[in-house]
Each structure stands twice: as C-alpha cells, then as structure tokens.
Amino acid sequence: MNKTIDQLSADNIRALAISMVEKANSGHPGGSMGGADFMHILYTEYLKYDPTDMQWIFRDRFFMDAGHLSALMYAQYHLLGNYEKTDLENFRQWGSVTPGHPEIDVKRGIENTSGPLGQGHVMGVGAAIAAKFLSARFDNLFNHKIYGFITDGGVQEEISQGAGRIAGHLGLNNFIMFYDSNDVQLSSMTDEVTTENTAMKYESWGWKVITIDGHSHTHIRSALNAAHAELERPTLIIGRTIMGKGCVTADGAMYEGQCELHGKPIGATKACFKSTLLNLGANPDDSFAVYEDVAAHYKNVLARKTAEAAERKTKITAWEKQNPALAKKIQQFFNGDLPELDFGSIAQKANSATRDASAAVLGYLAENVENMIVSSADLSNSDKTDGFLKKSSVLKKDDFSGGFLQAGVAELTMAAIANGIALHGGVIPVVATFFVFSDYMKPAIRLAAIQELPVKYVWTHDSFRVGEDGPTHQPIEQEAQIRLLEKIKNHSGDQSLLALRPADAIETSVAWQMALENKKTPTALILSRQNITDIPTLGTSRFEEASNAKKGGYLVKTTENPDITLIANGSEVATLIEAAAELESSIKIKINVASIISEGLFRSQPKEYQESVIPANGLVFGLTAGLPVNLENLAGSRGKVFGLDHFGYSAPANILDEKFGFTSKNACIEIIKYLEASKQN
C-alpha cells in the first residue's frame, strides 16, 4: 500500500472535518482530526460492506460512541460517496442530512444515533450479541465484525463498565473497539479527571488489549489483523492520538494537543484555519474539495468492496439454495414477520398478578418465537422473565443457542444493548426489571424512542404495593415520566413509545400481542407484583373484550346514559369495578368503568370512539396509584382524579392500600364527594 496516498487521504478527512465546523461555526474539530487515520484504514482495508447495497444484512457494522465526532464520519463517508459536497457544507443546519450528532441513516452508513457518551459502543455490543445469536442458528453466516469507536468520555461514563464486563464475559470476539486516547477532554486534560489504567481494566474483564500509535498506519493494520485473528475475546485497540493533529498557527508553528481544539472552530483558537488547511494539503479557496489522488484511490476502493461483496453474496446464494427453509427464516426474521400466534389460547390463572400473566405469555413465546432475546437485570425470578428462561437457556461464551441474557445489575447497559440488538436486525429484544429502576434506563429508552426501535420493556412491581421494600422501590412518578414519551412524536410522526399497563391477566396477554405487533416504536409493559381480581366478562369471551385495549382504552363495565364514568389502568380498574357495584347498590346511580391501558394510543382514535368511552361533557372520576397527572388529561377539566402526591412507606401492601385510600370503600367515598361537589357547581 502506498503510504503517501494513505496519509493524503487521512489529511483530506481532516481538512473536510475542520471545514465543516468552521463553516457552521459549531462543532468538534480536534478529535475528528485525531481519529482520521484509523477511520481511513478501517474503511478502505477492513470494513466489509456493499457500497451498492448499504442495508445488506451480512455487512460489518460501525458504531460511533463519540457522536460529537460526526464531522469525522461525514468526511469519511463523503470520500466513500455517501454524502454530497453540499451535505458537508450544510453541516449542523436546518434540513441537512449532516446533523451535529449522527442520527441513524443506514443508507449513508450511519448505524446508530449517538451523542450521549457511552451508549454508542454498548449498542455495538448488542449488535455483536445479535450476530452471535444468529450465527448459532444459521451455520455461522453472521460472522461479520462489529466495530466501535470510543473516546475518553465514553470510557469514563459508568455504562462502559457494564458493556466491558458483559462483552468480556460472553467472549464477543466479533467486537473490535478503537479507543481514541488523546489525553484531552472538552473542558480539561484527561489527567485532571482520572489516573486509571484503562488497559488493565479491560484485560480484567477478559478483553484483548493492544496499545498503538493511532497515527501509524502500520500499527493500525497490525492491531486490526490481531483483532481479526482473536477467537476468544473482544478487542480494545488503544490508539494514542493527538487532539487537532495537523493544526498550525498563522506562522506555521505546530499547535496540536490543546484542550481548546476540542470543541470550537479552529479559527476561534490560537491555531490558524487557513494555515492548517495548507499544512494538510488542502486548497483554502475550496476547502471542501476531495484531493484528486484521493478521489481516484477511493474509486478503486469502492470497486474492490463491491466486487468482494458480490463474491460473498454468491456464496450466500449457494447456501440459500441448499437451505431454503433456513433462508426463508432469515428473511422473516429481518422483515420482522411473526409466526402465527394465538394469544387467546394462553392459559392464565384466575386473579393473578400481571407479572405472572406475563410469565405465562413469555413461556408461550419461548416455544413459538425463535428470534427473541430476553434479558433481566438480576431479577428474572421476580420480574417473572423466568417464564421464558425455563423454556430456553442462558447465552454463554461459545454457546449462543439459548435466548436469555443475564445482564446482571446493569439496567442502563442492558437497555442500550437491547437497542444494539434491534439496530442489528433479525432479533427481537426484551428487557426487564422493576418499574422504579426504569429511572436507570431512561437515557437508553430515550434513544430507543428517537431511533424508532421496537424494544420491549417489561417493568414489574408497578406501584406502592411493592410494600415492605419501602419508598426506594415503590414507583410513584415513573408512570408519569414514561407516559411523557407517549406525548412526544418521533421524526416519523408517531408517538415515540407505547406504554401499556394492563388491568388483569387476560389484558396482559393482549398487551403482549400489542407489543410484538408494534414494530415501529418501543413498547413498555407495566405490570403488578400483587394479584388482581379478574375483570368480569360481559359477553362470551374475555379475550375478545380485552382485545379492545388495542384502541388504547375501552369500557369494561357499561350501561346506557351513565351518570358517571370511572377511569383507571392496571390494578385500579378492578378496584373501580368493585366500587361501582357498591355505589349502584347504595345510591342507585348508573356507572361506566373504562380501562385506559394507553392514553397515547387512546387519543389517536377517532373522536367519536373516545367520547363513547369517556363522554366529553360527562362526569369522570379517575383512580391511579401514581401521580394524578397520569389521568388528569383524560378526566378533563370537570373530572376528578384520586392519586398520590407523596412517596411511599415501608409496610405490607394491604396496609398501604388502607392508609393511602386505595380500597373500593374509600373510592366510593371519594366518588360521592366528587358527585356532591359537581351538583353544587
């Protein structure tokens, strides 16, 4: 390989990156300059993909952790033909395809949305797990590599510990991560923040660690060759790089490795933008130009990669002809097609906790859905994902034949891994923990919503009825937080998350059906620890009636011309049904009761349907074990919601129900008070 052309190519990437930041007057040039050598060598010589088919499922994948280095990615991908010159010139501008932090755009090579440090490389770990899982089922066809790119900030984020531990424990030798180690952070030098030995840390987790000069193309090749040869461990390549590599002052003096080069345009530092361009071999009058020799080189690179992909595709086609049933299954997995499932046939015990009802569904899915990975944060016997585990097995190093990932106590890591599994494609990720610990997962949930990933969340112990564990374990404000994502639209115009809190066991079966059929956004199932009285069947089939939950809400008790409508979700629905029976007997009023499993979904229904469930001008009383805001929008300005405005306490659940007023008797008292107040108004 001609070293001159490689150096010229890396310098061209540097020039393009700093030109983007300079024109936008916003961005991060220094790290982009430091990482250019690795990116160039990786993409021209190692990363396998088809330039004519960017979504080819057998491609290698690159996951950027340091989203602030977007200019590095766009510059590299411009050389590969994925972005136009005008795209680079419109960096960070309204309507451009080059946002300040990369947003998933697989057709242009962007595999993941990144920005919050730490999550990008964990998504890469998830993709590596998905590839291992699929290879175990399809003759090692998915033996491609997953590459990650991380910086000091990503290594420091706590999530990196979970990723490092899990990747090492599972022996993910298909995961190769480059650590751009330049001793500089946004606001300080790295030695002001940490003195840890990163290499020893990763080695202790079971990683192969190679430390190199990150600007030496020979060193980069040697490290990548060693990583490819590694059969037992993931590989961390620590590349010692220079922040602002190639920067010079106006008089031509080198000005590299400075903190100020991290987060502002070169022209706003002591370095000189024009002189730096000249030092990199660029034309200051046309700084977005691709050098002539570099353009010719990349034309050859693209031709070679296309030919290599075609050769690989020929082999895969031959395999498909020999294995038509498996080939069809791969297509179904990546299309998101589900097998024929009969959720109505799942036997549910009477009056069971919805977490137990979920376990029954998961047991059924373990036997009928082959491409599902279920994970739990050390709670499988409490969140009842063991319903799946009992009919599957745990993923292990050198054995990915099972479908259960024991994540350990690492909720955020687990959730980010699930995002990576979904991004890889072909596998359905399910993650579970207690609802209160969704707090630990919020950053990854948010990125799942932004990326429109069909991750399934199972959150149990959904209320203060966790009881003796006390306020630290009793979710009060969590439902309100999660339902905010039902009110936020993603860039496709859909509600960004579907949150479902089913009212009984059968409604839980329906909720699971809704979750699996939702391929456009994340879905949350919010489930009870305690048993719940079954909702009475009005006709001949409770499952058919509960299927009305697919509209987000429906009447579980109905009468013509009701005097009042009672609304709730989860376990409070049964409480209101009991209260309604008592009130109809004692004060002779007519009452409807509605189960509103998802406000967001309910509000997407035609207005006529909404008002058939909750009359626009009628009296409405809501009961929620969380903050009143959970139901206040549904109840309307004339309505009344009884909920909690305080944290919980440690006591048995039945005592807390009495103390907090969540009994049918107290619900009757509150409803009567509301009716009397309404008469006065």
Side-chain angles (χ1 to χ4, degrees), residues 440-453:
Y440 283 126
M441 304 166 69
K442 294 283 169 54
I445 297 166
R446 188 170 188 271
L447 278 188
I450 288 174
Q451 295 177 97
E452 304 178 21
L453 302 178

Side-chain angles (χ1 to χ4, degrees), residues 58-357:
F58 297 102
R59 69 189 182 276
D60 288 348
R61 289 157 172 81
F62 175 85
F63 283 80
M64 174 59 81
D65 191 283
H68 59 281
L69 300 187
S70 59
L72 169 62
M73 300 181 74
Y74 302 145
Q76 176 67 75
Y77 298 163
H78 176 49
L79 298 186
L80 293 165
N82 298 351
Y83 287 90
E84 300 296 329
K85 183 179 182 181
T86 54
D87 295 330
L88 272 59
E89 291 172 334
N90 287 311
F91 178 56
R92 288 183 168 234
Q93 304 308 302
W94 172 260
S96 76
V97 294
T98 48
H101 288 82
E103 298 171 18
I104 182 171
D105 188 352
V106 175
K107 290 183 179 179
R108 289 187 174 89
I110 309 293
E111 297 282 358
N112 65 295
T113 296
S114 57
L117 292 178
Q119 291 191 61
H121 81 291
V122 187
M123 288 186 257
V125 171
I129 290 171
K132 287 280 189 181
F133 176 92
L134 291 166
S135 272
R137 287 151 178 79
F138 299 107
D139 293 341
N140 202 33
L141 276 186
F142 294 86
N143 62 343
H144 45 259
K145 299 298 183 184
I146 311 297
Y147 297 95
F149 188 111
I150 199 167
T151 56
D152 292 295
V155 170
Q156 289 164 24
E157 281 286 358
E158 292 90 339
I159 192 174
S160 68
Q161 173 172 314
R165 171 179 56 81
I166 291 172
H169 177 68
L170 293 177
L172 298 180
N173 67 303
N174 58 340
F175 186 62
I176 301 168
M177 184 162 68
F178 179 74
Y179 168 27
D180 186 53
S181 178
N182 56 35
D183 297 329
V184 181
Q185 303 194 190
L186 181 62
S187 65
S188 73
M189 303 303 287
T190 304
D191 61 8
E192 297 177 48
V193 176
T194 180
T195 54
E196 73 178 10
N197 188 318
T198 302
M200 289 180 65
K201 180 172 70 173
Y202 276 85
E203 287 170 349
S204 73
W205 286 327
W207 288 58
K208 181 185 188 72
V209 179
I210 307 168
T211 300
I212 64 170
D213 175 352
H215 299 302
S216 166
H217 298 171
T218 301
H219 284 196
I220 293 169
R221 292 188 186 100
S222 177
L224 286 170
N225 289 340
H228 277 244
E230 175 59 49
L231 301 178
E232 300 291 330
R233 299 169 291 177
T235 298
L236 178 69
I237 300 171
I238 301 177
R240 301 292 299 157
T241 62
I242 299 172
M243 173 68 68
K245 174 69 172 175
C247 281
V248 296
T249 62
D251 60 5
M254 297 306 299
Y255 188 78
E256 301 174 325
Q258 302 299 314
C259 186
E260 68 168 341
L261 297 173
H262 190 302
K264 56 185 177 181
I266 297 301
T269 71
K270 295 181 184 66
C272 174
F273 175 62
K274 181 177 179 180
S275 297
T276 297
L277 286 174
L278 291 170
N279 185 50
L280 296 171
N283 177 3
D285 295 325
D286 188 10
S287 65
F288 286 93
V290 177
Y291 308 165
E292 185 176 342
D293 289 347
V294 172
H297 177 59
Y298 268 84
K299 183 178 179 180
N300 292 333
V301 167
L302 291 171
R304 186 179 73 250
K305 288 190 176 295
T306 302
E308 290 171 350
E311 183 180 351
R312 171 74 170 143
K313 286 182 175 182
T314 299
K315 294 178 181 178
I316 292 172
T317 299
W319 179 89
E320 289 173 338
K321 289 179 179 178
Q322 295 174 351
N323 302 274
L326 289 177
K328 182 179 179 181
K329 192 173 290 186
I330 290 175
Q331 185 177 30
Q332 290 171 338
F333 285 3
F334 277 85
N335 287 342
D337 298 333
L338 294 170
E340 289 293 327
L341 298 172
D342 184 2
F343 287 88
S345 70
I346 300 172
Q348 295 288 9
K349 293 181 180 179
N351 307 316
S352 63
T354 52
R355 65 168 176 166
D356 292 323

Side-chain angles (χ1 to χ4, degrees), residues 564-586:
I564 187 173
T565 299
L566 311 182
I567 63 172
N569 58 41
S571 53
E572 290 85 83
V573 176
T575 303
L576 288 181
I577 289 177
E578 187 178 346
E582 294 174 16
L583 289 172
E584 286 181 328
S585 174
S586 61

Side-chain angles (χ1 to χ4, degrees), residues 428-431 454-458 512 515-516 518-519 521 523 525:
I428 301 168
V430 178
V431 293
V455 177
K456 322 302 176 189
Y457 303 108
V458 176
W512 259 112
L516 282 186
N518 178 22
K519 303 173 187 177
T521 68
T523 305
L525 289 91

Side-chain angles (χ1 to χ4, degrees), residues 476-639:
I476 304 299
E477 74 278 18
Q478 278 70 25
E479 184 178 352
Q481 294 172 359
I482 289 301
R483 292 205 183 276
L484 286 175
L485 287 172
E486 287 199 316
K487 301 179 188 297
I488 300 175
K489 285 185 168 53
N490 57 34
H491 286 175
S492 294
D494 301 312
Q495 68 180 69
S496 67
L497 180 140
L498 177 64
L500 306 173
R501 188 169 179 243
D504 68 356
I506 298 299
E507 203 173 287
T508 303
S509 293
V510 174
W512 259 112
Q513 182 180 11
M514 294 167 69
L516 282 186
E517 292 176 353
N518 178 22
K519 303 173 187 177
K520 302 192 323 184
T521 68
T523 305
L525 289 91
I526 304 168
L527 308 171
S528 74
R529 176 198 188 194
Q530 81 285 356
N531 291 342
I532 299 176
T533 302
D534 287 338
I535 304 302
T537 302
L538 301 179
T540 58
S541 169
R542 170 64 187 137
F543 183 80
E544 287 184 12
E545 292 163 12
S547 293
N548 286 312
K550 294 178 181 178
K551 298 176 181 177
Y554 67 108
L555 292 172
V556 295
K557 180 188 178 305
T558 181
T559 184
E560 289 192 19
N561 302 315
D563 297 302
I564 187 173
T565 299
L566 311 182
I567 63 172
N569 58 41
S571 53
E572 290 85 83
V573 176
T575 303
L576 288 181
I577 289 177
E578 187 178 346
E582 294 174 16
L583 289 172
E584 286 181 328
S585 174
S586 61
I587 62 175
K588 309 301 181 186
I589 62 172
K590 294 193 291 184
I591 301 175
N592 278 358
V593 180
S595 171
I596 311 296
I597 194 170
S598 163
E599 179 186 351
L601 186 56
F602 181 70
R603 288 303 190 196
S604 72
Q605 303 304 315
K607 188 175 182 181
E608 296 77 17
Y609 178 76
Q610 293 184 48
E611 293 186 357
S612 73
V613 177
I614 305 176
N617 298 311
L619 298 179
V620 181
F621 178 88
L623 182 67
T624 175
L627 295 173
V629 72
N630 289 339
L631 298 175
E632 284 176 343
N633 188 48
L634 289 164
S637 59
R638 291 189 62 200

